[in-house]
Amino acid sequence: MDTSKVVLEVNDLGINFGGLRAVDSLDMVIHENELYGLIGPNGAGKTTVFNMLTGVYPPTDGTIKLEGQVINGKTPHEIAKLGIARTFQNIRLFKNMTVKENVLLSLGAHADYNFFTGIFKLPKFHAQELAMEDEAMRLLDVFELRDDSEKLAKNLPYGKQRELEIVRALGVHPKLLLLDEPAAGMNPQETENLMRTIDVVRKQFGISILLIEHDMKLVMGICEKITVLNYGAMLACGTPEEIQNNPHVISAYLGE
Amino acid sequence: MKKVTFKQQLLMELGVTLALYLFFQSLMSLGIINSYWRGIVITICINVVLTVSLNITSGFLGELALGHAGFMAAGAYISAVFSKSIALIPSVEFPLALLIGGLFAMFLGYLVSIPTLRLRGDYLAIITLAFGEIVRNVLLNIKLTGGAGGYSSIPKYTTFTWTFFIAAACVLLSKSLINSRQGRAIISIREDEIAAEASGINTNYYKKLAFIFSSFFAGVAGALYAHYMGFLQPAYFNLDKSIEILVMCVLGGMGNIMGSIISASILTILPEALRQIADYRMLVYAIVLIVMMLVKYAPQFEGLLNIFKPKKEEEA
Ligand SMILES: Nc1ncnc2c1ncn2[C@@H]1O[C@H](COP(=O)(O)OP(=O)(O)O)[C@@H](O)[C@H]1O
Ligand SMILES: [Mg+2]
C-alpha cells in the first residue's frame, strides 16, 4: 500500500438537499502529491463533493480531515487558508479586476501587513506588495499569462480564464487543489495542453490535485487514482486499470 | 516601460495635493475667489469626503447604501455637542471634535455592518435607509440639541485649509486602501463573494472594514459641516441628503474615486450656478436614479445605452 503522507481523508461523507441524497457515504483518501480523479455522469454529485470539501455546504454526515485535522463546519475562507483551493465549474473570476489583481487577491490572504500599514503605505506594505507582485508574475508564467497581467479578467479568452482561475487557486498556497471540469469548453488540443500543465503544476508545486472530469479516457490517462460516482454513491475506486476492469463501471458506462 | 515606484507615487500624490492647496489658497488671498465662492469650495470638499467615502461601500464593496446622511448627522451632532461643552483652544478642540465625530459614526457603521453580513441588495438598501431615518428621528427628539428647532451657536472652526486637507486625506487614504490587499479583498466581494471566500478572504471581516472606513469619513464630513454652518437641523440629514450623495457617487462612477471628486464638484456648483432653476435638481436626480436602476436591473436596457457608445469593441 501507499505509505506516503495522507493529505485528505474523507469518511462516510453524505449530504441531503431536502429529499435528495446528493452524495452518500463517500470515502476517499488522497495522498501527498497525488493526482486523483473524480468522475461520473452529470448530476452524480461531483461538484457537491467539492462544495462540501471547501465548506460551501455543510455535510449532513461524515467527516473531512485535512492532514489529520477535522475541517467540517469551518468556513470556506478558513478551509482555504488551511490549504484547500479550488476552481469552479462555471468560471468565477473577479471579472473587473486585472489578471494580476486576481492572483494578488489570493496571495494577499497570506500577507500580514495590517490595514493601517496599507492605507499609510508604510515600508512593510511596499516590501510585501513587491514580493506578492513578483510571485503573482511567476505564477502567471505557469500558464503563459504574464503578458495579459494588466488586462481585465473578463477580457481574457475563455480558455485563459479557466487557466487564470487555476493560477488564482495556486495563490492560495494549497496543499490540495480541487479542479472542477477545468477542460470544459476546450477543444481536444487545448485540453491536452491543459492536462499536461496540470501534471507539471502538481510536480512543480508538490501539491495534491483532485480533478473532476467527465471524460473518462482523459482521466485514465493522467490520474493515479480514481473514484467513480454515480447518483451520489461511490461506484468504484482504484487505479485506472482497476477502474477500467471494474464490472460495475463497465455496466454503468457501457450499459448507458 | 519603467514602472513608477511606490515612493515616487506617494511623492507625486502629496505634491499634487500641496500644489492644489496653494493654487486655491492664493486665489482666495488675491480675492479672485471671494468669500461666497470660498463657501462653495468648502462645500465641495465636504461633498468630496461624503462621496468618496460612500464609494467605498457602494462602489467598491458593491452594497447599495442609503443611509450615508445618518452617519454624517451622527458625526455632526456629536462633534457639535463636544465643542460646545468643552472650552479648549480651537486648534486642539477642533481636530478632537472631528475625530470624535468620525469615531462615533464609525461605531454606528460597525453596528450597521452586522446585519449586512447576512443581507444583500435590496434588503441591505432598506436597512441602511431605515438607519438614516432612525438617526434623524432620534435627533428630532433629543432636547439637548434642540430637537426639530435646531442646534445653534456651534463654534465656526471649519476653514478652507482644514476642509481641503481632510478631503485630500480622505481621497488619498481611500486610494491607498483600494490598492492594498484589504482593498482588493473588498472589491473581490463585489465581484464574486463565493470565489473570494474560496481564495481565503474573510468576507465578513472585509465588509465590516468597508463600512467602518466609509462611516468614519462620513462622520468627519458631518463634523466639518457642523462647524462650518454653526447650526444644525435634523431635517437636513434626510433621505434626500443620502440620495444626493449616492447620486454624486453614481454619476462619478461606482468604484471610481477620481469620478467621485469630479461629480461632487460639478453637482455642488451646478445648483449654485443655476440658482433660478435649482428646483429641477431633484427632478434630475430622479431621472438619473431611474436610468441607473434600469441599467442595473434590466440588462436589455444596457444594450440600448450601448447604441450611444462609440463602437470600438475589437480592441479587447
Ligand atoms: N444547492 C443545491 N440544492 C439542491 N440540489 C442540489 C444543490 N446542488 C446540487 N444539487 C443536486 O445534487 C445533484 C448533484 O449535483 P452536482 O454535484 O452539481 O453534480 P455533478 O457535478 O456531478 O454534475 C444534482 O441532482 C443537483 O441537482
Ligand atoms: Mg459539476
Side-chain angles (χ1 to χ4, degrees), chain A residues 99-149:
Chain A
V99 167
K100 185 169 74 186
E101 283 168 343
N102 268 267
V103 188
L104 286 176
L105 185 274
S106 57
L107 286 173
H110 297 287
D112 65 354
Y113 72 77
N114 65 27
F115 170 72
F116 291 104
T117 309
I119 61 171
F120 292 113
K121 296 186 175 173
L122 301 180
K124 191 174 179 185
F125 161 82
H126 293 187
Q128 293 196 352
E129 281 289 317
L130 286 175
M132 281 196 284
E133 199 151 314
D134 239 42
E135 187 178 352
M137 289 316 235
R138 272 185 282 120
L139 288 176
L140 287 171
D141 276 337
V142 175
F143 287 96
E144 290 164 17
L145 279 162
R146 176 182 284 260
D147 293 339
D148 298 319
S149 66

Side-chain angles (χ1 to χ4, degrees), chain B residues 2 27 79-80 88 108 125 131 137-138 149 170-171 182 191 197 275 302-303 307:
Chain B
K2 185 83 178 69
L27 286 188
S79 68
L88 296 170
L108 294 180
F131 163 77
N137 279 291
V138 167
C170 174
V171 168
Q182 286 81 5
E191 293 291 303
E197 277 276 335
R275 254 192 188 285
E302 205 171 353
I307 298 169

Side-chain angles (χ1 to χ4, degrees), chain B residues 63-309:
Chain B
E63 300 285 15
L64 187 63
L66 291 175
H68 219 50
F71 297 118
M72 184 191 182
Y77 270 88
I78 201 99
S79 68
V81 169
F82 172 80
S83 42
K84 270 188 74 168
S85 52
I86 289 226
L88 296 170
I89 45 169
S91 60
V92 175
E93 188 175 299
F94 186 44
L96 275 179
L98 293 175
L99 188 65
I100 286 170
L103 290 178
F104 182 62
M106 181 173 112
F107 170 69
L108 294 180
Y110 173 74
L111 293 185
V112 173
S113 79
I114 294 171
T116 70
L117 303 180
R118 296 173 151 272
L119 299 174
R120 302 227 71 178
D122 308 348
Y123 298 101
L124 184 94
I126 290 166
I127 290 274
T128 52
L129 188 152
F131 163 77
E133 288 303 288
I134 289 168
V135 170
R136 194 169 57 84
N137 279 291
V138 167
L139 289 172
L140 280 173
N141 290 296
I142 293 183
K143 293 280 174 307
L144 172 70
T145 54
Y151 193 39
S152 55
S153 29
I154 303 160
K156 289 191 174 186
Y157 292 146
T158 299
T159 60
F160 166 69
T161 304
W162 272 108
T163 324
F164 179 85
F165 281 109
I166 283 169
C170 174
V171 168
L172 293 181
L173 293 179
S174 299
K175 266 192 72 199
S176 309
L177 173 65
I178 290 318
N179 292 313
S180 70
R181 70 188 187 94
Q182 286 81 5
R184 286 191 293 267
I186 289 170
I187 298 171
S188 76
I189 295 171
R190 172 192 77 195
E191 293 291 303
D192 193 318
E193 198 169 338
I194 290 175
E197 277 276 335
S199 306
I201 299 302
N202 182 348
T203 52
N204 281 356
Y205 173 84
Y206 288 105
K207 282 183 195 172
K208 283 188 211 155
L209 184 68
F211 266 90
I212 285 173
F213 184 89
S214 173
S215 51
F216 174 81
F217 276 106
V220 173
L224 283 170
Y225 175 79
H227 294 82
Y228 172 61
M229 299 303 287
F231 174 72
L232 292 173
Q233 233 177 349
Y236 177 76
F237 303 99
N238 58 9
L239 180 60
D240 285 356
K241 182 65 188 170
S242 289
I243 289 177
E244 183 189 322
I245 304 165
L246 184 65
V247 169
M248 288 177 179
C249 190
V250 170
L251 274 186
M254 294 294 219
N256 183 344
I257 290 178
M258 202 28 130
S260 285
I261 299 172
I262 294 169
S263 89
S265 308
I266 292 176
L267 285 186
T268 311
I269 293 173
L270 209 61
E272 298 296 333
L274 306 170
R275 254 192 188 285
Q276 53 279 52
I277 61 155
D279 288 347
Y280 290 102
R281 198 162 58 131
M282 284 325 287
L283 184 66
V284 174
Y285 283 160
I287 291 170
V288 168
L289 277 185
I290 290 167
V291 169
M292 172 203 143
M293 281 190 295
L294 282 172
V295 171
K296 197 150 183 227
Y297 297 108
Q300 61 273 36
F301 192 81
E302 205 171 353
L304 221 143
L305 277 186
N306 281 339
I307 298 169
F308 302 107
K309 284 189 189 155

Side-chain angles (χ1 to χ4, degrees), chain A residues 36-47 50 89-90 158 162 179-186 191 194-195 198 210-223 226-230 243 249 252-254 256:
Chain A
Y36 199 115
L38 181 60
I39 61 176
N42 261 331
K46 305 180 296 292
T47 299
F50 273 24
Q89 185 171 353
N90 309 307
Y158 179 84
R162 285 220 169 269
L179 301 176
D180 198 343
E181 304 201 16
M186 291 188 179
T191 304
L194 178 71
M195 289 303 155
I198 287 173
L210 176 58
L211 173 72
I212 291 181
E213 183 46 69
H214 58 218
D215 183 344
M216 193 135 154
K217 270 226 309 278
L218 206 103
V219 178
M220 295 289 177
I222 62 165
C223 291
I226 293 167
T227 287
V228 186
L229 277 187
N230 202 15
I243 296 295
V249 177
Y253 271 77
L254 300 181
E256 266 174 359

Side-chain angles (χ1 to χ4, degrees), chain B residues 37-49:
Chain B
W37 279 96
R38 177 199 300 254
I40 290 170
V41 173
I42 288 176
T43 311
I44 287 176
C45 290
I46 293 175
N47 283 338
V48 165
V49 175

